[in-house]
Amino acid sequence: MPNFCAAPNCTRKSTQSDLAFFRFPRDPERCRIWVENCRRADLEGKTSDQLNKHYRLCAKHFDPAMVCKTSPYRTVLKDTAIPTIFDLTSHLKNPHARHRKRIKELTEEDIRKMKERRLASSIEQLNSKKDAAAEDASTNEEEPQWSTEEKAFREYLKSLFEILVMFVNQGIPLVANKVSESEITSSNFQALINYRMNAGDEALRKRFDTAAVNREYVSATQLSQLLDIFENTVREEMLMEVRESRFFSLVTGDLVEFAKEKHLPLFLRFVNQHNVLREEFLDFLLFEGDESVLVDRLEAQLTERWGLSMEDCRGQAHKATGTSTTKMKAVAVLLMEKYPLALHMSCSHTALNIHLANNLPLPNVQIVMVTLRRIGAFFRTPFTQDELENAIFAHYHKNDEKANALRHACGPGWVEQHNAFDLLLDLLPPLVLCMDVVRDNDGGRFANAVTAEAYSIAEILVDFEVIVTVVILKNVLTFTRAFGRNLQGETLDVFLAATSITAVLHSLNEVNDNIDVYHEFWYEEAVGIANVMEIPVKVPRLFIRKQRAVDEGEVQAELYYKEYVTVPVIHGVIQEVEDMFSETNLKALKCLSLVPAVMGQMKFNTTEENYAGRLLQ
């Protein structure tokens, strides 16, 4: 949505101008002066918060000395900036035209007060300029005189820095992807340097024309230093936008390990000044200690190091997997206790069913989830996807429609979709066949590490306990699939999801109440798949050994999987859904009823609108 200038007789808007637009200040006194100088009578009754939120002035109304360009991409005002340049007469040339921004007629008293304030402001600005000039003079005295070689090197570093900025803005990796096992393309960084030189970048050309033929474009040390500087610059730019927007949500990703320690990637999600939703990486957090230590470390990093206020945090989402899920859930609870408005929700870019399964602290479920991620990574290896498609057509050679549907469905990212467990069961025979082909490696196309991974994955997939677990997950999470899709949909879809959570929980509780009946059907499905694949139906070996140790009778496989898989999964999913969509979270989601896109599609009565309004208070 474009920003319009609030100044009278000014028709500029952000989409038609390269000028910067500035919000009215939140400080009531400064805001009053801005309004007074604008001569907009209709703005005098508005609060500084209202003006800050809804009104802007373009840079044309400020003394150029008050406007600072902090980077090629950012323009800000000095803290003391006051708008003083206005066109207050051009409307008189056409007195019959309608003017939405009516100009206030000043009395003699108003004029006298304005003159006094402007005189005081002029004196203050003059003193400020003198101080700045004195500071510049002292700085110039201390600034070293650069030699010709040093100046050339500074220009060279500037060009490299601009290249790095472009890489991030365009989402280009520094090094190109592998084309095959033996061939690697030249680095993207090197290619862009060549492009800049061909386009006339003299600083780069001079640098490399005088360099040896085999010399590095940039040494590892130089590149590391550039990246450090660049990282700090980009982060500060992003943090300035977050501070201007004020409110943000905290998102964490999967654990990563470097320097022999585990770290949690931190992201900030916010709406910028152009009403665009952004999610940006902020930093890594050392993942060490219990949940209270993590919360303290997280707070310190956000507030003390990066200057944000946790009071402005309006949400949190944690994409935890494996053993870290329990700890991150505890972190979320502690954060909500300290900051109740930091609502804990699932990551919007993670399918709800995947999130629910990841958060189940059951060993067999975690084995399935880890295997899914390994499968996703495996098929990013060259030629493996081709082998999977061949295996699909080989297995479903009598059903071309099914084969084509699966071939299209098993593209990149299928292991992270809402229906990942359905797809996994349909793909199970072709997957095992594919892994066997890769393991045999008759053509010698695959490295030893790839064939070893294929063998390991295949051994897991032909385990009956894994098959039962996937079948149970598929059937239980069927009840949350549509709900999860709506949560990732448009605003109206999210609102409808909030109103349907009761029905979802009702269905899950009905399954729980009739668990014997449901488990019987699901167990038969798992046995059928195992029979087709010639996989023995049995109780896990470890459980049998424990039973023998206590001299208990033999346990039937169906009863074992009911007690140790079906019941824990259904209980875990119900608990997770109830925790995730608590009354507070649902109230927040139902506030979407005030969004015009929702109101336009729904027929609200006054009672519902008032209820939604009370939720916001």
Side-chain angles (χ1 to χ4, degrees):
M1 183 176 178
N3 292 318
F4 294 87
C5 183
N9 297 323
C10 183
T11 59
R12 296 182 184 89
K13 60 181 179 179
S14 57
T15 56
Q16 298 176 348
S17 173
D18 293 332
L19 289 172
F21 281 70
F22 306 107
R23 293 174 179 267
F24 277 65
R26 281 199 178 94
D27 177 61
E29 181 59 25
R30 280 189 66 213
C31 189
R32 182 185 62 77
I33 298 174
W34 280 40
V35 172
E36 189 177 82
N37 287 5
C38 280
R39 299 267 298 275
R40 288 275 304 274
D42 57 314
L43 300 185
E44 291 183 348
K46 300 184 183 297
T47 66
S48 57
D49 284 338
Q50 290 173 322
L51 291 165
N52 175 266
K53 185 175 182 181
H54 299 294
Y55 293 89
R56 313 282 191 278
L57 287 179
C58 70
K60 282 291 185 182
H61 305 292
F62 296 87
D63 186 320
M66 294 291 103
V67 181
C68 305
K69 200 168 184 66
T70 58
S71 77
Y73 314 100
R74 186 168 187 78
T75 304
V76 297
L77 286 175
K78 290 186 177 179
D79 292 339
T80 57
I82 300 294
T84 55
I85 305 170
F86 294 96
D87 173 13
L88 303 175
T89 58
S90 63
H91 67 286
L92 300 175
K93 298 176 183 178
N94 190 7
H96 300 293
R98 294 182 61 188
H99 298 282
R100 182 174 60 85
K101 298 181 281 190
R102 299 181 65 84
I103 299 176
K104 177 183 177 182
E105 298 297 332
L106 298 179
T107 64
E108 292 185 2
E109 181 66 17
D110 292 332
I111 294 172
R112 184 184 65 78
K113 289 181 179 179
M114 287 183 65
K115 286 182 177 179
E116 290 177 355
R117 275 194 291 269
R118 286 181 180 176
L119 178 60
S121 177
S122 298
I123 294 172
E124 183 181 345
Q125 288 186 16
L126 181 61
N127 292 333
S128 176
K129 288 180 179 179
K130 287 181 179 179
D131 293 341
E135 185 178 342
D136 289 342
S138 62
T139 302
N140 290 335
E141 290 175 2
E142 298 173 1
E143 185 176 337
Q145 297 298 315
W146 301 103
S147 66
T148 304
E149 183 180 353
E150 288 171 330
K151 288 180 180 178
F153 192 69
R154 281 162 61 90
E155 289 298 316
Y156 161 66
L157 290 178
K158 178 183 175 183
S159 294
L160 293 181
F161 188 79
E162 289 173 352
I163 291 174
L164 287 173
V165 170
M166 180 180 176
F167 269 91
V168 170
N169 288 340
Q170 300 297 327
I172 305 172
L174 285 175
V175 179
N177 293 328
K178 289 186 178 182
V179 175
S180 67
E181 287 294 313
S182 59
E183 181 184 359
I184 301 179
T185 62
S186 62
S187 77
N188 292 329
F189 190 65
Q190 175 182 336
L192 194 52
I193 286 178
N194 286 329
Y195 175 80
R196 288 280 297 240
M197 287 193 293
N198 293 333
D201 191 321
E202 291 301 320
L204 288 176
R205 181 178 295 280
K206 289 178 182 178
R207 179 76 177 176
F208 292 112
D209 281 350
T210 58
V213 174
N214 294 325
R215 184 173 177 177
E216 291 180 308
Y217 274 69
V218 182
S219 70
T221 303
Q222 288 176 334
L223 187 57
S224 176
Q225 292 171 345
L226 278 170
L227 288 173
D228 286 342
I229 297 170
F230 172 72
E231 176 189 350
N232 293 331
T233 303
V234 171
R235 182 187 288 117
E236 186 54 37
E237 289 279 331
M238 183 266 290
L239 286 172
M240 287 179 68
E241 289 194 77
V242 175
R243 294 185 195 111
E244 283 188 355
S245 302
R246 186 178 173 185
F247 300 114
F248 64 91
S249 293
L250 177 66
V251 180
T252 64
D254 286 325
L255 287 177
V256 294
E257 187 171 347
F258 56 86
K260 298 182 179 180
E261 292 178 317
K262 291 183 178 180
H263 295 79
L264 194 67
L266 304 179
F267 301 84
L268 294 182
R269 176 173 285 199
F270 61 98
V271 177
N272 66 11
Q273 300 294 323
H274 301 291
N275 294 322
V276 176
L277 180 64
R278 298 261 303 278
E279 184 174 309
E280 301 289 347
F281 171 74
L282 175 66
D283 203 356
F284 286 104
L285 181 75
L286 180 63
F287 194 75
E288 190 176 81
D290 61 19
E291 49 269 19
S292 59
V293 172
L294 276 177
V295 169
D296 292 340
R297 187 179 296 132
L298 177 61
E299 281 188 276
Q301 198 141 327
L302 288 173
T303 56
E304 297 173 13
R305 185 174 182 184
W306 304 124
L308 299 175
S309 172
M310 283 300 295
E311 298 291 343
D312 294 330
C313 182
R314 290 297 180 267
Q316 52 174 319
H318 307 289
K319 188 183 177 183
T321 57
T323 56
S324 64
T325 54
T326 304
K327 184 181 287 189
M328 290 311 300
K329 286 169 69 174
V331 167
V333 170
L334 289 176
L335 282 175
M336 279 194 67
E337 288 177 357
K338 299 182 74 172
Y339 308 101
L341 295 179
L343 301 179
H344 179 214
M345 302 289 283
S346 61
C347 291
S348 61
H349 45 68
T350 301
L352 178 64
N353 281 357
I354 298 297
H355 178 84
L356 292 173
N358 277 330
N359 280 9
L360 294 177
L362 306 172
N364 46 2
V365 173
Q366 289 306 314
I367 288 173
V368 169
M369 300 312 295
V370 170
T371 305
L372 266 180
R373 291 192 289 274
R374 289 175 64 185
I375 290 171
F378 179 84
F379 286 107
R380 288 194 289 270
T381 307
F383 309 119
T384 52
Q385 187 69 27
D386 296 336
E387 293 295 347
L388 176 59
E389 292 181 7
N390 293 337
I392 290 172
F393 282 105
H395 182 76
Y396 292 103
H397 63 278
K398 295 182 179 180
N399 190 344
D400 289 342
E401 184 178 351
K402 176 82 169 180
N404 283 314
L406 282 177
R407 184 175 66 85
H408 290 297
C410 69
W414 70 268
V415 296
E416 299 173 355
Q417 295 176 4
H418 296 278
N419 61 340
F421 304 108
D422 302 71
L423 281 174
L424 180 58
L425 289 176
D426 286 337
L427 286 170
L428 203 53
L431 267 175
V432 174
L433 176 59
C434 171
M435 297 299 170
D436 289 343
V437 171
V438 173
R439 183 183 60 182
D440 292 341
N441 198 19
D442 290 337
R445 292 196 297 174
F446 302 105
N448 291 336
V450 177
T451 59
E453 180 70 353
Y455 174 78
S456 177
I457 292 174
E459 288 298 300
I460 295 172
L461 294 178
V462 296
D463 186 332
F464 183 67
E465 184 178 15
V466 169
I467 293 175
V468 173
T469 304
V470 175
V471 170
I472 301 303
L473 286 171
K474 180 206 77 169
N475 286 288
V476 171
L477 296 176
T478 298
F479 299 101
T480 58
R481 187 189 304 163
F483 174 72
R485 281 204 181 101
N486 282 341
L487 283 179
Q488 291 185 303
E490 300 295 332
T491 307
L492 179 60
D493 298 324
V494 179
F495 174 75
L496 293 175
T499 61
S500 67
I501 185 63
T502 303
V504 172
L505 284 170
H506 176 77
S507 299
L508 290 171
N509 281 303
E510 183 184 357
V511 172
N512 186 48
D513 293 340
N514 299 279
I515 195 69
D516 292 336
V517 177
Y518 282 95
H519 174 73
E520 182 180 350
F521 284 109
W522 297 343
Y523 182 75
E524 287 179 2
E525 181 182 352
V527 170
I529 294 172
N531 290 337
V532 169
M533 299 180 64
E534 299 180 348
I535 297 171
V537 176
K538 60 182 181 179
V539 175
R541 176 184 56 81
L542 181 61
F543 180 79
I544 294 175
R545 184 170 61 82
K546 289 181 178 179
Q547 290 295 102
R548 288 174 179 169
V550 295
D551 197 24
E552 292 187 6
E554 185 177 350
V555 176
Q556 296 295 321
E558 183 175 352
L559 293 177
Y560 166 82
Y561 288 112
K562 173 191 168 185
E563 182 178 351
Y564 291 96
V565 182
T566 303
V567 172
V569 166
I570 190 67
H571 287 176
V573 169
I574 291 174
Q575 187 62 53
E576 190 65 29
V577 171
E578 289 177 343
D579 291 345
M580 190 181 304
F581 300 99
S582 63
E583 184 179 354
T584 303
N585 289 10
L586 288 177
K587 283 182 178 179
L589 289 175
K590 287 178 180 178
C591 288
L592 293 172
S593 64
L594 299 177
V595 175
V598 176
M599 296 180 72
Q601 297 292 326
M602 307 290 291
K603 293 182 179 179
F604 288 101
N605 57 40
T606 307
T607 304
E608 289 172 322
E609 291 177 1
N610 290 339
Y611 171 72
R614 288 197 302 273
L615 294 179
L616 289 174
Q617 295 176 356

